[in-house]
Amino acid sequence: MKAIKVEWSDSLHGSVHIPGSKNSSLALLAAVCLADEPVTLHGIPDIADLRVIYEISREIGLQVEHHESGAITMDPRNITSTVLDPVKSSSFRAAYYFVGSLLAKFGKVSVGYPGGDDFVSRPMDQHIKALQMMGASFTFKPTSYTVEAKELHGATIYFDMITCGATINVMMAAVRAKGTTVLLNAARDPEVTDTANLLNLLGAKITGAGTDTIRIEGVASLHGGSYTVIPDRLIAGAFLMAAGVTGGSVTVDNVIPEHLSSCLAKLREIGMELDVHDNAITAHSTGILRATRVRTAMYPGFATDLQQPLTALLTQARGKSIIGERIYPARFNHAHQLIRMGADIKIRSGVASINGGNVLHGTLVHASDVRAGICLILAGLRAEGTTTIAGVQHIDRGYEDVVGSFRSLGANISMFDSNEKPAHSLITGTK
């Protein structure tokens, strides 16, 4: 078991190159199955969730070739099975994208239930409703579910709630369905647009991606091509916040500033200075921050995935800050870990009240999901003593080399094998 050790760090300075978007990559790697020729993807990060996708891909006959340049070529011409290993496909949330990408071509797909970070409720009802309207039927088993359709047909589908996952999944299913599909109240996330751009490059007919109404005219086939994934806006936002936690100046390179509009507005509001360029953003901070109020929302609102690092940042802002989590109201496991470090945070009904300015103290904490891990790293940078973060496997799911990136900015952070420490220290927190 790996763990991360973080010591109090002086102001951070330097630049970080932002990798390709994890959430986009999950969709793009599955979308390749819709093609009839090889597809080469550039900028795909080397993270745990995607390595599981490569294993699943090879098991169903989707050939994967890694190039020295970092590009990945996937050849869907020899797919022989659409039964995904239920254990592997349940290890991450977005395995359901294989339903959208395989169903129209092969008529039947079996996959494990959505896994990954557990925020109490990850409903699939909008996926199910939409695919049933297009002619699919579902069979639910204890560890997996099977989706079948002799022929998918176009439909006009209204999503009862805005959902990025269902928007992408159904959009992919509609690409090779008969007729025209219209998605109403669709998610506007950059990852939706990124997936649509790849599919259009391959010959799909999708219009309206990035708005709340998406129209897909079904096509009989898709050709191959080459495509570059968008940068990860969530990683970029977290590193900008790091400058606020410690003070200093941090530049994130390879970003699309428009994707971070709500985050940048909030960082300016609490007292950070930002220099925004075409594909880079520099955050400056003296470490003196103002309290604020935030409500998470679907894009273009403030992202739920940035709520957690923001919580760490607001522990350093004097005054009372309020964070309302409207996407996943139970997504506050990180707050309980911050309280162990001395933060004054109260949680009630999906709202966190943060009285900032308390001195944080290093202790043993646990990262319950990807973004919670980054939250705890940020807190550790300003905590007295040593912060030891367990649950590193969750961080590895979304960050390629988080320790190296923070060290390049001057952070006192390292990775170690927790088995080297006495077992009781990782269970009770004793030294």
Side-chain angles (χ1 to χ4, degrees), residues 66-293:
H66 294 264
H67 303 283
E68 290 185 5
S69 64
I72 297 166
T73 297
M74 305 186 77
D75 189 344
R77 291 176 294 184
N78 296 310
I79 294 177
T80 56
S81 171
T82 58
V83 178
L84 277 63
D85 182 282
V87 174
K88 291 177 182 176
S89 57
S90 290
S91 68
F92 64 101
R93 175 174 53 88
Y96 49 56
Y97 288 148
F98 281 96
V99 175
S101 64
L102 292 170
L103 187 59
K105 281 180 72 174
F106 297 97
K108 185 176 181 179
V109 185
S110 180
V111 64
Y113 292 103
D117 300 328
D118 182 10
F119 306 129
V120 178
S121 177
R122 292 280 198 169
M124 290 181 55
D125 59 308
Q126 298 303 297
H127 299 251
I128 295 168
K129 179 188 83 167
L131 292 173
Q132 285 177 335
M133 291 179 67
M134 297 174 67
S137 63
F138 285 74
T139 302
F140 299 99
K141 303 172 185 177
T143 60
S144 65
Y145 63 99
T146 300
V147 190
E148 298 180 74
K150 290 184 178 179
E151 181 179 89
L152 288 178
H153 55 75
T156 297
I157 298 162
Y158 177 82
F159 291 113
D160 299 305
M161 59 180 292
I162 300 174
T163 159
C164 181
T167 298
I168 292 175
N169 199 17
V170 178
M171 181 174 69
M172 288 197 292
V175 164
R176 295 188 64 150
K178 298 289 185 180
T180 300
T181 300
V182 179
L183 306 182
L184 305 174
N185 200 30
R188 299 164 57 189
D189 300 58
E191 295 77 15
V192 174
T193 304
D194 204 30
T195 306
N197 287 343
L198 166 66
L199 292 170
N200 282 339
L201 177 74
L202 304 181
K205 296 181 179 179
I206 303 170
T207 57
T211 75
D212 61 5
T213 302
I214 301 176
R215 184 183 181 91
I216 309 105
E217 295 182 26
V219 297
S221 63
L222 294 179
H223 51 73
S226 180
Y227 187 78
T228 301
V229 64
I230 58 172
D232 198 309
R233 59 191 171 107
L234 305 174
I235 292 178
F239 276 108
L240 293 175
M241 292 179 192
V245 169
T246 66
S249 178
V250 173
T251 298
V252 291
D253 292 316
N254 184 42
V255 295
I256 301 175
E258 180 186 352
H259 293 172
L260 285 157
S261 295
S262 58
C263 175
L264 300 182
K266 192 56 62 175
L267 295 183
R268 287 191 175 101
E269 185 179 307
I270 66 175
M272 295 179 63
E273 295 182 7
L274 301 169
D275 295 330
V276 180
H277 304 281
D278 290 342
N279 60 357
I281 305 169
T282 300
H284 309 278
S285 177
T286 61
I288 301 174
L289 306 172
R290 296 186 290 270
T292 191
R293 300 175 69 94

Side-chain angles (χ1 to χ4, degrees), residues 17-32 39-55 57-58 64-74 97 191 194-195 198 225-232 235 254 396-401:
H17 183 81
I18 300 303
S21 165
K22 167 202 168 186
N23 290 341
S24 258
S25 296
L26 290 168
L28 298 186
L29 290 172
V32 167
V39 177
T40 298
L41 299 175
H42 301 269
I44 303 294
D46 182 16
I47 55 177
D49 273 5
L50 302 186
R51 290 193 289 271
V52 175
I53 287 188
Y54 301 142
E55 292 180 17
S57 298
R58 293 186 178 99
V64 182
E65 180 183 359
H66 294 264
H67 303 283
E68 290 185 5
S69 64
I72 297 166
T73 297
M74 305 186 77
Y97 288 148
E191 295 77 15
D194 204 30
T195 306
L198 166 66
S226 180
Y227 187 78
T228 301
V229 64
I230 58 172
D232 198 309
I235 292 178
N254 184 42
D396 287 343
R397 291 184 48 232
Y399 289 80
E400 192 166 329
D401 181 17

